[in-house]
Amino acid sequence: MVRSPDWAAAERLSYRFAMLIDNTSALVTGGASGLGEATVRALVRKGAACTIFDRDEARARVLAEELGGATGYAAGDVGDAAAVEDAVAKATEAGTFRIVVNCAGIGWAQRTIGRQGEPHDLEAFKTVVAVNLTGTFNVMRIAAGAISKTVPLDDGERGVIVNTASVAAFEGQIGQISYSASKGGIVAMTVPAARDLAPVGIRVCTIAPGLMDTPLLGLLPEEQRRALGSGVLFPRRLGYPAEFAQLVVSIAENGYLNGETIRLDGGLRMPPK
Ligand SMILES: NC(=O)c1ccc[n+]([C@@H]2O[C@H](COP(=O)([O-])OP(=O)(O)OC[C@H]3O[C@@H](n4cnc5c(N)ncnc54)[C@H](O)[C@@H]3O)[C@@H](O)[C@H]2O)c1
């Protein structure tokens, strides 16, 4: 006899997943601007107590004050263990700590060698890797330790970590060598992090955004922003930060997404330059 699916159970489970964000505590690095800020707003709307962790203390404070309620902030560098421990302690105090979103990141444009053959600035390369890759790992390792001590949900899930890479992890453009290396590292960590954290019920996913309309691109003249958007397959525009936040929410709510890197890019494949 063919066993029919238990639709009622499936429905109950989907409600359980939808409840994951409500009444939980979330930590968002780089939460004072751009994709991180959009994520904070979306998680707060979904009922989470959000801790904004950003090196820009002034912006973090302003956003936390605007959102009020259980939204808090901690200032510091993602590469600084003590600062991250402090932020994780705040997130743990704010509620049942289950969600981490790593959005803090920086860029750098320089070719491997310059026009006269001069080598790439080594310190600049190390800084980009330190913030984007080591910083993401630093937050993951400390936050996962705290999440592993929470009471698990019905199916053993304790929480979820969402990291932010970039399409530059796959098609880095000319001059993106350091940025691509750092983002490629984040993609490469996704599976081993998910494997390491599976025994304690923590999922790990990565989002690789294409061209998103954040303050970073907002500095460009309107014409240049339109030109960038028109290179996207469909829709021919820059991505909205809210679309990134929506994917974070989907990943948090869908308990079967794990160990995966998801491109969010309107089908864009970056050319060499
Ligand atoms: N905007 C895009 O088109 C795009 C595309 C692909 C990937 N990304 C990635 O998305 C993430 C967010 O980008 P964004 O466009 O929102 O940038 P953004 O500059 O608007 O926001 C980044 C935030 O991170 C904070 N930050 C930077 N370094 C930090 C550090 N060492 N410690 C703590 N906080 C730090 C900044 O103060 C800022 O508030 C980055 O990792 C970026 O590489 C962005």
Side-chain angles (χ1 to χ4, degrees):
M1 197 182 76
V2 181
R3 204 174 137 264
S4 64
D6 184 347
W7 296 117
E11 187 109 330
R12 277 198 305 278
L13 275 176
S14 74
Y15 280 125
R16 206 282 286 152
F17 294 136
M19 290 298 292
L20 183 65
I21 296 175
D22 194 17
N23 286 320
T24 61
S25 166
L27 176 70
V28 182
T29 79
S33 173
L35 305 183
E37 177 178 341
T39 301
V40 168
R41 291 180 185 279
L43 291 174
V44 167
R45 251 194 324 272
K46 281 272 179 180
C50 247
T51 303
I52 302 161
F53 181 63
D54 205 292
R55 66 177 177 187
D56 187 337
E57 182 167 10
R59 283 187 71 126
R61 188 189 317 114
V62 168
L63 181 60
E65 281 170 6
E66 182 204 317
L67 295 173
T71 313
Y73 73 93
D77 193 302
V78 283
D80 177 348
V84 173
E85 277 161 14
D86 175 55
V88 165
K90 282 194 172 132
T92 306
E93 277 162 31
T96 310
F97 181 34
R98 296 211 188 279
I99 301 171
V100 179
V101 189
N102 274 303
C103 289
I106 55 170
W108 182 261
Q110 192 176 3
R111 297 178 186 208
T112 306
I113 57 168
R115 292 196 194 287
Q116 315 304 328
E118 66 278 17
H120 190 294
D121 181 333
L122 188 56
E123 285 313 308
F125 185 94
K126 287 181 182 171
T127 302
V128 174
V129 171
V131 173
N132 294 357
L133 178 57
T134 313
T136 297
F137 177 67
N138 191 34
V139 173
M140 257 208 304
R141 75 186 179 100
I142 295 169
I147 297 172
S148 74
K149 297 188 181 75
T150 61
V151 176
L153 298 164
D154 299 348
D155 62 353
E157 181 174 356
R158 284 192 169 84
V160 62
I161 298 174
V162 181
N163 295 327
T164 307
S166 162
V167 293
F170 308 106
E171 304 117 31
Q173 295 189 290
I174 288 170
Q176 283 195 311
I177 188 90
S178 56
Y179 186 69
S180 291
S182 68
K183 296 300 189 178
I186 293 173
V187 171
M189 284 197 297
T190 309
V191 167
R195 288 176 169 172
D196 283 352
L197 299 177
V200 290
I202 300 173
R203 297 180 289 116
V204 182
C205 283
T206 295
I207 301 175
L211 297 167
M212 310 299 286
D213 196 2
T214 66
L216 209 78
L217 293 183
L219 297 173
L220 297 175
E222 182 54 33
E223 201 179 310
Q224 218 171 322
R225 293 173 58 235
R226 244 202 317 271
L228 275 176
S230 70
V232 178
L233 188 62
F234 186 82
R236 296 181 71 181
R237 60 165 172 82
L238 302 176
Y240 301 127
E243 290 170 325
F244 175 91
Q246 188 188 358
L247 184 52
V248 171
V249 166
S250 297
I251 291 170
E253 289 181 345
N254 194 325
Y256 209 57
L257 267 174
N258 194 12
E260 186 57 70
T261 296
I262 303 168
R263 292 180 68 126
L264 182 71
D265 62 5
L268 173 75
R269 296 296 178 267
M270 298 294 275
K273 60 179 173 186

